[in-house]
Amino acid sequence: DFCRTCYPYLSEIDPNHLNQIGFAFMLDKALKAGLTFDKPNQSWQYHYYRKTDATNIALWIDKYFKDRPFILGECGDTSAKKVTDGAPREFLGEEWQLAVYQTLIPAFNDSVAAGRKMLGMFPWTAFDFPGFGGSTGQGEFGLIREDGSVKPAGEYLGAEYAKIKRSRPAQWDK
């Protein structure tokens, strides 16, 4: 009810304000509830983690978003060497985190090239927060270690974002 009431009101009072609905795994419920979210200033946001999911990103976008604007609002995975969250991973550590992004970025680029309305992709999160989330690995999702050094995934994303910026400059960079 909040989304059905709040988002139309926000669009009415500020038609240029970007509104987002962020979902992790409840997209079917949102669509069944009638949340079309198809105005120009509205976009869906989805959280996408782990390499095995990322290989199917285009299928997810086609299934849930079709021609709707879409932001991959949280993505990536932990660089922790030991994780007890039960999620399937081929291996752990910074190499795993890099492999996840090395799958996500090409999938994102392919989706844009295919004409999907992908507005952006944002990793979760920039910095590590050691101790946060216990043994789930949440504290090591960052691209920058606690000491300020950049992880391999952060180096990779920096280089890839620079390529994206050169190929698709923002309006203010033209």
Side-chain angles (χ1 to χ4, degrees):
D1 287 341
F2 173 81
C3 291
R4 280 187 287 213
T5 303
C6 186
Y7 286 109
Y9 174 71
L10 288 173
S11 293
E12 181 182 318
I13 61 172
D14 185 359
N16 296 316
H17 185 85
L18 177 64
N19 297 312
Q20 288 186 12
I21 294 181
F23 286 97
F25 304 104
M26 298 182 289
L27 295 170
D28 286 322
K29 290 180 182 180
L31 295 171
K32 285 179 186 175
L35 296 172
T36 57
F37 225 58
D38 53 7
K39 292 188 167 86
N41 67 322
Q42 297 175 330
S43 71
W44 290 88
Q45 184 206 107
Y46 187 64
H47 302 176
Y48 222 84
Y49 297 102
R50 298 187 181 84
K51 184 178 177 191
T52 52
D53 291 344
T55 58
N56 296 315
I57 190 168
L59 297 174
W60 277 92
I61 294 167
D62 286 346
K63 178 179 178 181
Y64 289 111
F65 305 107
K66 298 185 181 172
D67 292 326
R68 295 179 178 103
F70 170 78
I71 294 174
L72 185 57
E74 288 185 22
C75 63
D77 203 354
T78 185
S79 64
K81 292 193 182 279
K82 183 177 180 186
V83 180
T84 60
D85 65 1
R89 292 177 176 87
E90 295 167 35
F91 50 91
L92 291 169
E94 291 184 3
E95 297 81 16
W96 169 255
Q97 185 183 47
L98 175 61
V100 170
Y101 284 109
Q102 287 173 327
T103 303
L104 275 170
I105 292 287
F108 175 84
N109 289 334
D110 290 348
S111 293
V112 171
R116 294 179 187 94
K117 295 184 177 182
M118 301 216 30
L119 302 176
M121 185 188 91
F122 307 101
W124 177 259
T125 175
F127 300 97
D128 276 352
F129 299 97
F132 177 77
S135 60
T136 65
Q138 279 288 324
E140 289 79 28
F141 261 74
L143 302 170
I144 301 170
R145 297 178 195 93
E146 187 177 26
D147 66 6
S149 59
V150 179
K151 296 179 187 178
E155 296 285 348
Y156 173 76
L157 278 176
E160 291 299 313
Y161 283 160
K163 289 181 203 172
I164 291 168
K165 183 176 170 128
R166 283 191 300 275
S167 67
R168 294 185 292 266
Q171 291 178 355
W172 54 85
D173 287 335
K174 293 180 182 177

